[in-house]
Amino acid sequence: MRLALILEQNEMSFLLIMVIYVCLMLFLGTLLDTASIILIVVPLFLPLIEPMGLSLVWFGIITVIGAEIGLLTPPLGISCFVIKASLEDDRISLQDVFMGALPFAFVMLIVLILLINYPVLSIGILN
């Protein structure tokens, strides 16, 4: 609840709150697994999202996509380490795996930006 008061007192815009949220999700995604990130970050930002009248389904989709992007990015992208460990070919380095995952992370980031700007893309089916 204190985070909500701080952001309210500073009169931060919706876009700035979402940028902070996504950056935090991406940073934590490089260090933790998805479930841990969700358990840490969602209780902090949910009191900010509910009073704005935004859809919680939309917020959940943004949360999962942000966490999954973090799992593909260095230095500790867990998904890339799993892929490298499952490969039997010594010619493929961990750097190759990260470079191969980079285009996918970039496309997911573009989708995330689109979903933030146009929430109807994620919740249009529900209406």
Side-chain angles (χ1 to χ4, degrees):
M1 195 65 168
R2 292 177 193 231
L3 179 63
L5 291 174
I6 291 170
L7 294 177
E8 183 180 311
Q9 288 172 352
N10 291 329
E11 297 179 6
M12 292 191 172
S13 68
F14 163 74
L15 185 59
L16 186 57
I17 290 171
M18 291 311 295
V19 167
I20 292 169
Y21 183 69
V22 169
C23 288
L24 186 61
M25 295 294 290
L26 294 177
F27 172 72
L28 289 176
T30 63
L31 303 172
L32 301 170
D33 64 309
T34 305
S36 299
I37 296 167
I38 291 171
L39 289 173
I40 292 169
V41 176
V42 169
L44 294 174
F45 282 85
L46 196 58
L48 297 173
I49 297 300
E50 284 180 323
M52 290 182 183
L54 299 170
S55 170
L56 296 181
V57 172
W58 168 82
F59 183 66
I61 292 170
I62 296 297
T63 300
V64 170
I65 292 174
E68 294 300 321
I69 294 171
L71 292 177
L72 292 175
T73 55
L76 299 174
I78 296 171
S79 296
C80 293
F81 280 100
V82 170
I83 291 169
K84 173 60 178 145
S86 66
L87 294 174
E88 301 276 332
D89 194 352
D90 291 334
R91 296 175 295 169
I92 300 173
S93 68
L94 186 59
Q95 181 181 0
D96 294 334
V97 174
F98 275 116
M99 292 306 292
L102 189 62
F104 294 100
F106 182 70
V107 169
M108 289 173 67
L109 185 61
I110 291 172
V111 168
L112 185 65
I113 291 168
L114 285 173
L115 288 174
I116 290 171
N117 288 329
Y118 306 103
V120 72
L121 293 175
S122 62
I123 58 174
I125 291 176
L126 298 175
N127 294 331

